[in-house]
Structures are given as structure tokens and as C-alpha cells.
Amino acid sequence: MPLHTHYLYGGEKKWDSALWTTSDDRVRGGSSQSYLTVSDADKTQASFHGHLDTSTLGGAGFASQHSRGELTLDLSIYDGILISIAGPHKADGKRYVLTLKDELLPPRKDGRETSSISWEAEFVAEKPGDIKLPWKAFKATYRGRDKPDAKPLDLANIKRLGLMMRSFFDEQKGDFALYLSAIAAYKDDSSQGNCADADAQDDYVDLKSHQYFEQERKPWWKIILCGFV
């Protein structure tokens, strides 16, 4: 893991399924189901698992778990979110979404939750290990659609964190299972802030457009001088 890590779930915080709640497409008439289950007696691992159904809603569907109640997280000093996929389980290779919210609106008159903007970062669970999601990987969405005119995410006022399995319009469906050691905020070692290796940390995959973004590299003379600054 990066040098500076603040555990949100798992790790030093241990896992507790009572801190999570379900939000599946059943609220819109779907049939998907999800669970957040603590996997061992030591509470060092948890699994986000369930079944994603796309037949009921004609190719659409989602299954998700999110933090219960309202969080008060100030993550403004960190560089992003780290997801630690647990072993020795074989990762399922499916496409997941981590969601953040900085605003929770009052419920509707019928008691159902009022929709608000979510910030989403996609990742693929290919194998056990750490996945880093820098803040720039998070995209604003409203009810599953991009919201390019949204105001910037307020990192000093995070009120909800969630995990989602989505159909991406019938691209994936069926059983899923994501085994987790921890979810944490991370900050890269500041001693590498001016080095060429740090440039590589700015590269990321935008899974929505299936494109790889590579930042401009420093010239050779800056790389040589890196260790002296």
C-alpha cells in the first residue's frame, strides 16, 4: 500500500456489515440483489456479492451497497481511494463502481430516497491486490447518466461511500463477488512528488471510454536531477 493510508473500512477499522445498507434496482421494479458480508471471524475481510438481473428491466440493472447514515469524512489531503482486493480468492474479472456523495437530500414524501449527484470511478477486479482510484478518475453522474455541469466534488465533506455492480446496458449480468481486505484513502509518498516515477501514477484507464490516458513525461534532464530536488 502507499506510505500514507487512512483506512475507511477494513484494515485497522475492521469490517462491520452493520455499517452498510442495500440499494438495489428493486426500488425501480428490478430483481437484483446484493449483500456485504464479513468473511472471517477476525473481521479482516468482507465480500460484496449478489446477483445482477437484467431481464426484468430490459437490459438495465444495478446492485449496490453503501455506507449507512451520513458520513463526515474530510479526504481533501489525500490523492484518491485505494481498494484492496483480498486473496486467495480468484477475482471475478467484472467491472465494478465505487461511488462517493457530498450531498444527501431529504427523503421524498413516500419515504424513498431523493436522487442526488454521485461521483463514480470504475474498476475491474482482475486479481488480488491494490487498485488506486485517483480523484480525477471520479465522474459526476445523476441516476446513471453523466453530469458534466456538476460542481466539483467537495472532498472535505464526503457523506456517503458505496460499491456498485451495474449492467452497463446488458454488458454484464449474473452472480458476482468482490472480496475485499480494505477500502482506504491514500496519499502518495511526497518524496516522490517530483520524480519521473510519480508521473506514472497520473496515468489511469477511463473505463467509460475504454481509453488509456498517459500524462506528458518530464524531459531527460529533469529525470536526472530528480534525486537532487
Side-chain angles (χ1 to χ4, degrees):
M1 285 192 175
L3 184 62
H4 305 291
T5 305
H6 173 57
Y7 289 103
L8 304 175
Y9 299 95
E12 298 170 351
K13 294 292 184 71
K14 303 296 184 181
W15 286 95
D16 184 352
S17 58
L19 299 179
W20 295 77
T21 189
T22 302
S23 179
D24 297 333
D25 59 21
R26 291 169 176 262
V27 299
R28 300 180 187 174
S31 302
S32 300
Q33 288 184 294
S34 70
Y35 309 90
L36 194 292
T37 304
V38 177
S39 305
D40 59 350
D42 294 333
K43 299 183 178 181
T44 59
Q45 294 186 8
S47 61
F48 169 51
H49 61 104
H51 182 84
L52 180 65
D53 174 82
T54 60
S55 60
T56 305
L57 297 178
F62 67 89
S64 69
Q65 294 281 316
H66 64 72
S67 53
R68 187 182 295 273
E70 183 173 317
L71 303 177
T72 54
L73 295 176
D74 182 354
L75 304 181
S76 57
I77 67 170
Y78 297 97
D79 295 326
I81 298 293
L82 182 142
I83 300 172
S84 184
I85 300 177
H89 308 284
K90 182 180 179 181
D92 62 11
K94 293 190 175 182
R95 191 171 161 195
Y96 291 86
V97 179
L98 188 136
T99 64
L100 297 174
K101 283 182 178 287
D102 60 6
E103 181 181 34
L104 299 179
L105 300 176
R108 305 186 331 183
K109 291 182 179 180
D110 60 5
R112 294 172 60 184
E113 183 172 307
T114 303
S115 297
S116 60
I117 293 174
S118 294
W119 290 80
E120 303 183 354
E122 300 169 14
F123 64 96
V124 176
E126 294 181 323
K127 60 183 179 180
D130 294 341
I131 297 176
K132 291 165 63 177
L133 301 174
W135 297 133
K136 64 186 175 184
F138 287 82
K139 310 298 182 184
T141 66
Y142 180 74
R143 300 189 70 173
R145 297 183 180 275
D146 289 347
K147 183 72 172 172
D149 60 344
K151 63 182 181 180
L153 175 63
D154 184 0
L155 293 171
N157 192 33
I158 299 301
K159 298 181 181 296
R160 176 176 292 175
L161 181 149
L163 293 165
M164 180 184 294
M165 164 56 62
R166 178 184 289 161
S167 70
F168 295 101
F169 302 103
D170 221 14
E171 287 185 13
Q172 55 186 12
K173 57 187 175 182
D175 294 340
F176 63 90
L178 178 65
Y179 297 94
L180 299 165
S181 292
I183 299 175
Y186 75 87
K187 185 173 181 63
D188 284 314
D189 186 354
S190 59
S191 66
Q192 297 179 0
N194 296 320
C195 294
D197 288 345
D199 288 342
Q201 297 167 357
D202 289 335
D203 300 341
Y204 68 98
V205 177
D206 185 341
L207 291 173
K208 288 187 177 179
S209 61
H210 301 283
Q211 291 181 317
Y212 178 80
F213 290 84
E214 181 174 305
Q215 304 299 315
E216 182 180 357
R217 299 300 186 213
K218 289 182 172 61
W220 64 268
W221 58 271
K222 284 190 177 182
I223 296 175
I224 293 175
L225 293 175
C226 176
F228 299 97
V229 296

